[in-house]
């Protein structure tokens, strides 16, 4: 694998939240006021979830209730003032009236079980990043497990080795959400390294962008543009084995909108 030359250092923009963020009591109280019209609807489903989490008691259970209502509201989507586009602006800017809602979504994700393995995200028409680049998204980032029953997304695809991406299956309860029950969501502020770009001979215009999640590494201390280390090579081997072992890709078909699009903004470090 050859990593291309990269241009000079660029700092990531500050992130409002990083993986593992825990919401404050004040943030949860403000979110409850913001979500008053939705609270009871999503609260009933979350209450059923909490019955299966008996270790939570008292104030911790109330904190989990607010976090999980926020996460469920984000996942099911809404056309109102709490819509996904407005929420992602709060993640990106770290400002605005929806910031407490964003805080609870970030906190809710830490309560979900982790997924380890390869996941796929549609890349869209954006410019392909260079191997060795670092990427970080200010908001949550969704994908689907590689080799599932879903049709493949059209165009370029990200194939990501997940370590701390969160499975959100238990947030859905009903056939209406059946197409997204296997969704894996990376917490806000997660950093990724581009390991390689694989050009498929059958579709040269639809490259596979192979990414490694860098868990527990602050974005400001991560480095890109150097030669791959032993962990990079090991993860790349796992990704390639997962791709080789997955069923042959079928024709592009319906793909969840939230599981498509660029992975954050790049930062590269010069030689």
């Amino acid at each position: 694998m050859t990593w291309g030359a990269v241009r000079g250092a660029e700092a990531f923009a500050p992130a409002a939240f990083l993986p593992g963020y825990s919401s404050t009591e004040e943030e949860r109280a403000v979110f409850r006021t913001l979500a008053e019209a939705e609270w009871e609807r999503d609260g009933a489903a979350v209450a059923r979830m909490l019955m299966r989490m008996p270790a939570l008691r008292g104030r911790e259970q109330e904190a989990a209730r607010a976090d999980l209502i926020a996460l469920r509201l984000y996942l099911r989507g809404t056309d109102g003032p709490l819509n996904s586009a407005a929420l992602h602006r709060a993640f990106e800017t770290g400002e605005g009236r929806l910031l407490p809602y964003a805080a609870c979504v970030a906190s809710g994700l830490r309560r979900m079980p982790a997924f380890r393995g390869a996941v796929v995200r549609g890349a869209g028409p954006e410019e392909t990043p260079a191997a060795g680049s670092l990427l970080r998204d200010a908001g949550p980032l969704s994908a689907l497990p590689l080799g599932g029953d879903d049709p493949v997304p059209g165009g370029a695809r990200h194939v990501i080795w997940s370590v701390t991406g969160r499975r959100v299956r238990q947030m859905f309860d009903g056939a209406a959400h059946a197409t997204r029950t296997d969704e894996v969501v990376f917490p806000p502020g997660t950093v990724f390294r581009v390991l390689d770009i694989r050009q498929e001979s059958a579709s040269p215009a639809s490259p596979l962008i192979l990414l490694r999640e860098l868990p527990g590494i602050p974005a400001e201390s991560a480095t890109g543009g150097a030669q791959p280390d032993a962990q990079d090579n090991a993860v790349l081997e796992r990704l390639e084995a997962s791709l080789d072992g997955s069923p042959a890709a079928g024709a592009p078909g319906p793909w969840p909108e939230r599981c498509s699009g660029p992975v954050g903004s790049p930062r590269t470090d010069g030689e």
Side-chain angles (χ1 to χ4, degrees), residues 51 73 100 104 156 170 183 192 221:
M51 292 177 64
L73 178 58
C104 291
Q170 61 185 303
E183 186 173 345
F192 304 91
S221 64

Side-chain angles (χ1 to χ4, degrees), residues 231-254:
Q231 287 185 312
D232 292 326
N233 290 328
V235 170
L236 184 59
E237 288 180 6
R238 295 189 194 112
L239 285 171
E240 291 176 335
S242 297
L243 285 165
D244 292 341
S246 64

Side-chain angles (χ1 to χ4, degrees), residues 12-64:
F12 283 121
F17 306 103
L18 296 176
Y21 182 82
S22 180
S23 63
T24 67
E25 186 172 351
E26 180 181 2
E27 287 167 336
R28 294 190 295 270
V30 174
F31 165 64
R32 177 161 188 168
T33 300
L34 288 171
E36 184 177 4
E38 309 283 353
W39 187 269
E40 293 305 322
R41 172 179 173 176
D42 289 292
V46 167
R48 292 192 291 272
M49 285 182 54
L50 291 174
M51 292 177 64
R52 302 192 294 271
M53 302 168 69
L56 296 176
R57 292 286 185 269
R59 296 181 66 178
E60 179 58 23
Q61 188 176 74
E62 286 305 306

Side-chain angles (χ1 to χ4, degrees), residues 184-201:
V184 174
V185 185
F186 292 96
T190 300
V191 180
F192 304 91
R193 177 177 286 135
V194 181
L195 297 181
D196 200 4
I197 312 297
R198 175 188 282 191
Q199 298 289 345
E200 295 188 295
S201 57

Side-chain angles (χ1 to χ4, degrees), residues 2 15 37 83 213 243 250:
T2 302
N83 65 79
E213 180 195 353
L243 285 165

